[in-house]
Amino acid sequence: MIVTTKAIVISAIKYGDTSLIVKLFTESDGVKSYLLKGVLASKKGKLKKGYFIPLTQLEIVATHKGKGTLESLREVKLSTTFKTLQTDVVKSSIALFLSEMLVVSLQEEEANPALFKYLEKAFIWLDSNGEIANFHISFLIQLTAFLGFYPDDSNIEAPYFDLAEGEFVLSLYNEVMEGATVEVFKQFLNTNFDTSKQIKISRNVRAHLLQQLIRYYQLHLSDFKKPKSLDILQQVFG
């Protein structure tokens, strides 16, 4: 089946000397993987390697066989031209980290229009805004709503957040978020990128909150692997 759809680049892995295997989150079919033969050697082909930098937003024409094998791309063009996301060192570090988080978080080969729209708007916001220190925290918290484990804030006045149960609690049973970290975490709930950038937070607390969020993902997603780029991101903000 030939499909025309928007897509967001999640990852690109070198295959052999001249090819790439790219994973895209498509608007039409969710996560799809494609084999791009010879793309690293070709200078005149329709498929340029520059299109496949993580979080790049594309319009593609693809052949989807739907048999669990690698699909193929016929045509690719940019749907959004980023101005700073891939050139600003802080933003590109955030992009690399978030792309790794998406690789382990997004697995379904089925359409999810609401999630696609969220990702599309989120990365356009990151590209066009300057105050971005809280972006990745806000992004990961909001993303949990689409993954099925958004924090239950019905008991938000409680002093601990139970990472395994995803709710605020009065007593310690499982791993919890507590102290200054949980108080800042509460401020992020039910906010958007514009409001969350106004939250005042120290570097140490932000770093600890990020580590706690990654642990939260680990407890709620099977086969979760800690992003390799986390250390780079912490250095950028440290």
Side-chain angles (χ1 to χ4, degrees):
M1 178 186 296
I2 298 177
V3 176
T4 300
T5 182
K6 286 185 176 181
I8 297 172
V9 179
I10 300 176
S11 68
I13 301 172
K14 189 176 180 181
Y15 180 74
D17 293 329
T18 62
S19 302
L20 287 175
I21 295 176
V22 299
K23 182 175 288 188
L24 307 181
F25 185 67
T26 67
E27 188 174 29
S28 63
D29 296 278
V31 176
K32 286 287 185 181
S33 295
Y34 303 84
L35 175 60
L36 309 184
K37 294 182 179 180
V39 68
L40 299 179
S42 175
K43 296 182 179 180
K44 297 181 180 180
K46 294 181 179 179
L47 306 182
K48 299 178 175 61
K49 63 181 181 180
Y51 288 151
F52 303 103
I53 299 171
L55 306 192
T56 301
Q57 298 185 4
L58 306 171
E59 290 183 7
I60 66 172
V61 178
T63 301
H64 288 174
K65 296 180 180 179
K67 296 181 179 180
T69 57
L70 294 172
E71 313 286 15
S72 59
L73 291 173
R74 291 170 168 242
E75 298 178 23
V76 174
K77 64 179 180 180
L78 295 176
S79 64
T80 299
T81 302
F82 290 133
K83 297 178 180 179
T84 63
L85 185 59
Q86 295 160 350
T87 55
D88 181 283
V89 64
V90 177
K91 291 184 179 182
S92 61
S93 298
I94 291 174
L96 178 60
F97 167 73
L98 293 181
S99 69
E100 284 195 74
M101 288 295 293
L102 291 175
V103 166
V104 295
S105 300
L106 305 182
Q107 302 293 337
E108 295 297 324
E109 289 194 22
E110 59 183 32
N112 189 333
L115 175 55
F116 186 89
K117 184 173 291 186
Y118 168 70
L119 297 177
E120 188 177 44
K121 290 184 176 181
F123 301 138
I124 290 174
W125 190 97
L126 177 59
D127 180 65
S128 59
N129 280 267
E131 296 181 49
I132 59 170
N134 290 340
F135 175 83
H136 54 299
I137 301 293
S138 180
F139 177 90
L140 292 178
I141 293 173
Q142 292 183 59
L143 181 61
T144 62
F146 298 96
L147 301 178
F149 53 96
Y150 190 81
D152 179 354
D153 62 357
S154 58
N155 193 27
I156 198 170
E157 298 303 323
Y160 309 109
F161 180 73
D162 188 313
L163 294 171
E165 297 298 326
E167 62 184 5
F168 293 93
V169 295
L170 295 171
S171 304
L172 301 175
Y173 294 104
N174 301 309
E175 292 182 59
V176 298
M177 193 185 300
E178 59 185 318
T181 304
V182 76
E183 293 306 316
V184 169
F185 175 61
K186 291 176 181 180
Q187 295 180 53
F188 277 96
L189 298 181
N190 302 309
T191 63
N192 57 36
F193 298 125
D194 287 318
T195 53
S196 65
K197 73 179 182 182
Q198 300 171 17
I199 297 173
K200 302 302 180 182
I201 176 174
S202 70
R203 291 179 178 178
N204 288 340
V205 172
R206 183 185 294 110
H208 189 248
L209 177 54
L210 180 58
Q211 291 174 346
Q212 293 281 278
L213 285 173
I214 290 173
R215 179 57 178 156
Y216 185 48
Y217 270 69
Q218 186 176 33
L219 288 170
H220 291 269
L221 295 174
S222 60
D223 300 322
F224 182 89
K225 295 181 181 179
K226 182 179 177 181
K228 295 179 181 179
S229 59
L230 177 60
D231 291 339
I232 297 174
L233 186 67
Q234 299 289 41
Q235 290 175 15
V236 168
F237 282 102

